[in-house]
Amino acid sequence: MTVKRFLCHADDLPEGSAKGFASRPGADDEAFFALRHRGRIHAYLNRCPHTGVTLNWMPDAFLDMDGYFVICSTHGALFQPHDGLCVRGPCVGASLATVSVIETDSRIWLVGEMDG
């Protein structure tokens, strides 16, 4: 069975921005994040494939100074926004783990599968 969890309104994630989300409603973490790149929403787990540390150094700070690449705050690795592939740093060739999200009716939703 497919389930959806409301994350935010589409206007809350403008082009060239990123936003962190908790693992579950009310949790105090940023387990994953979403970003808008060239009009599309992409989402990834908030974990560097090199060391497993969280990528951001402060809330919603997932992008480099130019607002283009996803950056690891620990060692500066850069990841392409559209596919999560590392293009610079110690984990070149590795990718961020994707999270399934959709944008519909001006809202962004986390989408997952559940048994039963």
Side-chain angles (χ1 to χ4, degrees):
M1 171 170 140
T2 300
V3 296
K4 294 193 308 188
R5 181 178 118 201
F6 173 75
L7 297 175
C8 66
H9 293 281
D11 291 346
D12 295 334
L13 197 59
E15 183 68 30
S17 70
K19 185 171 181 58
F21 297 96
S23 56
R24 64 188 184 289
D28 189 26
D29 62 11
E30 284 187 311
F32 65 98
F33 65 99
L35 60 90
R36 185 179 299 276
H37 175 72
R38 296 184 178 166
R40 295 190 63 210
I41 301 297
H42 305 275
Y44 303 100
L45 289 181
N46 185 10
R47 294 279 175 255
C48 178
H50 177 231
T51 63
V53 298
T54 56
L55 296 165
N56 57 324
W57 60 279
M58 62 183 281
D60 300 330
F62 295 96
L63 302 178
D64 67 354
M65 296 292 286
D66 296 325
Y68 185 81
F69 289 103
V70 174
I71 188 167
C72 177
S73 65
T74 300
H75 51 64
L78 296 178
F79 303 87
Q80 296 179 146
H82 63 281
D83 63 5
L85 179 68
C86 182
V87 293
R88 191 181 91 192
C91 48
V92 169
S95 293
L96 299 172
T98 59
V99 173
S100 295
V101 294
I102 60 170
E103 182 174 2
T104 182
D105 299 324
S106 299
R107 293 183 174 105
I108 299 171
W109 302 84
L110 173 67
V111 180
E113 298 290 325
M114 291 189 67
D115 294 332

